[in-house]
Amino acid sequence: MTRSLALALNALGLYAIALVLLVAFAAQLLLHELPCPLCLLQRIQFAMLAVGPILNVRFGLRPSHYAVSLLTAATGAAFAARQILLHVMPGDPGYGSALLGYHYYTWAFIGFAVAIIALAIMLLFNSQFRDDGKPQPVGALAGTAVGLVIALTALNVISTLLECGFGACPDNPVAYELLKRGP
Amino acid sequence: MEFTALFLAVTIVMVAAWWGTRTVALALFAATLLACIATYLHHASDALQLSF
């Protein structure tokens, strides 16, 4: 695998993360489903998955950058597995609505598992790490992807502040704390 | 509030990874990941109703 192909795949990975964050926002804003604390932690892990590809695009391809994303994906999978186990008992309706038959935390677990497999496959190709001494310019595709992911994560700062306010986030949020009108 | 702080921390990590130095970005990443795990352990206090 050439360096340019690996960098293009890293940029595509950033777009995939941006898509996940966009879908989560769409569910929150269009379906009025506010994320619970555990759901927010999983969303944070999806955003943190982007740190590895950003480092690869900015500083060049290194195994340690992939390791950053691998650690994040394993942590996110553990968080999602915990939420699956909370609702795995027969008769439990689960938290929130289902998308294509699975709840969001189940999709999150699948997403983190796919990320782990994709990162492991990327690490198989040693040729991408051979430095030919030439600086790799950052293309518009990668630059746009980085900007998109940073912007979506920054939007989550605002949305979480509106949802949780300045106190502890409720376990089952139904309204934005900072948008509630006083008595 | 802690989740807002964590999203803010991730944004700062990304900004550091893009505009800052690699060492700073990796250090901030490690601190943020540990903060996420600590937040998870703080919240995951309910016993799972499971038997294997």
Side-chain angles (χ1 to χ4, degrees), chain A residues 2-130:
Chain A
T2 61
R3 278 175 68 195
S4 55
L5 175 60
L7 283 169
L9 289 173
N10 272 269
L12 285 178
L14 286 171
Y15 281 109
I17 293 165
L19 182 66
V20 169
L21 294 175
L22 271 173
V23 169
F25 254 136
Q28 180 177 340
L29 299 174
L30 301 177
L31 303 176
H32 306 290
E33 293 201 12
L34 295 186
C36 61
L38 210 43
C39 315
L40 283 171
L41 268 177
Q42 289 161 58
R43 203 186 286 194
I44 288 166
Q45 295 314 116
F46 270 116
M48 280 184 76
L49 272 180
V51 175
I54 292 175
L55 287 169
N56 272 334
V57 171
R58 173 71 177 78
F59 295 102
L61 299 154
R62 295 192 197 187
S64 57
H65 299 162
Y66 288 112
V68 160
S69 291
L70 262 177
L71 283 171
T72 306
T75 310
F79 294 169
R82 159 85 188 181
Q83 197 165 9
I84 291 170
L85 290 176
L86 278 172
H87 300 290
V88 79
M89 293 299 280
D92 189 315
Y95 183 85
S97 60
L99 178 70
L100 301 174
Y102 291 127
H103 286 89
Y104 297 126
Y105 40 87
T106 310
W107 280 117
F109 184 84
I110 293 168
F112 288 123
V114 168
I116 289 170
I117 293 166
L119 287 161
I121 291 171
M122 286 300 290
L123 280 167
L124 285 173
F125 298 95
N126 289 326
S127 54
Q128 66 182 304
F129 302 118
R130 284 192 205 111

Side-chain angles (χ1 to χ4, degrees), chain A residues 11 13-19 21 46-51 54 143-156, chain B residues 10-11 14:
Chain A
L14 286 171
Y15 281 109
I17 293 165
L19 182 66
L21 294 175
F46 270 116
M48 280 184 76
L49 272 180
V51 175
I54 292 175
T144 307
V146 172
L148 188 62
V149 169
I150 292 177
L152 283 166
T153 310
L155 279 175
N156 269 291
Chain B
V10 178
T11 310
M14 288 177 180

